[in-house]
Amino acid sequence: FIFQAMFAATAATIVSGAVAERVKLKSFMIYAAILVTFLYPITGSWKWGLGWLNTMGFYDFAGSTLVHAFGGFAALAAIIVLGPRLGKYTKDGVKPVLPSNLPLANIGVFMLFLGWFGFNGGSVLSADPEGVSRVFVTTAMAGFAGGLGAMFTSWAVLKKPDLSMGLNGMLAGLVGITAGADVISPWASVLVGAIAGVIVVFSVLFFDKIRIDDPVGAVSVHGVCGVWGTLAAGIFGEEKSVVTQFIGTASI
């Protein structure tokens, strides 16, 4: 129960990054309470409560869709309602709002990376050495590959390496491997993470292009890459159906 409570809380914190400093605290508290108390248990039970998606054969080991895409698209709903920050989009195009403290952002991502070993490793739900070790390795490799993928992609597209893109790439790789960390091989996990790193760069640029203001890239990292990770479990995991994975992630 406590393990699932942390997963539910994670879904709410994904939203908090997208709306930080531009939503009233009481509004966010109500939003988070509804999200965690009612919505997360409903969609979570479809798989982890042995519900209809579980019966269908949908697979999501530690929540690429059930936690991350769930939170990511809840964040999208919130920022569509809020609208962009003042001055972000002008008639001349997108005016970047620079981060105030990149070293702190860097530390935050490293803390998340460390926490992911509890997030994914704990989802083995036992102290099985082989199972936990495999999950640790695939998680680490996907995270590293995601950072590199995003860094090189941002370098190619934006003509310079972008630290914030690299940090989001690490998180994108971690989100991407979360659905299939126990069924995807270490080498395939590198590919899954790298693709997530590439996807997140184009996703962040896409949302800016359509004037949806996501200050930390939460929708791209958790929402879009959560969908990718869930599909990846069907592509790279043995005896998993991509069609079933798509139905599952689309419904949530």
Side-chain angles (χ1 to χ4, degrees), residues 122-145:
S123 292
V124 177
L125 301 180
S126 75
D128 172 45
E130 186 178 348
V132 173
S133 298
R134 181 192 179 110
V135 168
F136 279 178
V137 171
T138 56
T139 299
M141 301 318 288
F144 300 148

Side-chain angles (χ1 to χ4, degrees), residues 70-219:
F70 174 86
F73 288 106
L76 177 62
I79 59 180
I80 287 172
V81 171
L82 274 176
R85 288 168 290 176
L86 296 176
K88 169 77 174 182
Y89 303 114
T90 67
K91 63 180 186 296
D92 300 320
V94 180
K95 181 183 176 185
V97 182
L98 298 176
S100 63
N101 194 325
L102 274 172
L104 204 58
N106 207 68
I107 291 167
V109 168
F110 287 172
M111 290 172 71
L112 279 168
F113 206 135
L114 179 63
W116 232 281
F117 292 111
F119 199 102
N120 283 3
S123 292
V124 177
L125 301 180
S126 75
D128 172 45
E130 186 178 348
V132 173
S133 298
R134 181 192 179 110
V135 168
F136 279 178
V137 171
T138 56
T139 299
M141 301 318 288
F144 300 148
L148 289 169
M151 187 65 81
F152 285 118
T153 303
S154 68
W155 202 337
V157 174
L158 306 172
K159 308 304 180 215
K160 60 181 180 180
D162 186 297
L163 177 61
S164 62
M165 286 289 196
L167 294 174
N168 267 347
M170 279 192 207
L171 298 180
L174 291 163
V175 170
I177 197 60
T178 293
D182 65 329
V183 293
I184 293 175
S185 72
W187 280 112
S189 71
V190 174
L191 187 59
V192 171
I195 292 171
V198 174
I199 289 171
V200 79
V201 173
F202 288 107
S203 179
V204 167
L205 296 175
F206 168 76
F207 282 113
D208 261 348
K209 192 172 183 179
I210 62 172
R211 302 197 163 209
I212 289 179
D213 186 13
D214 181 2
V216 298
V219 179

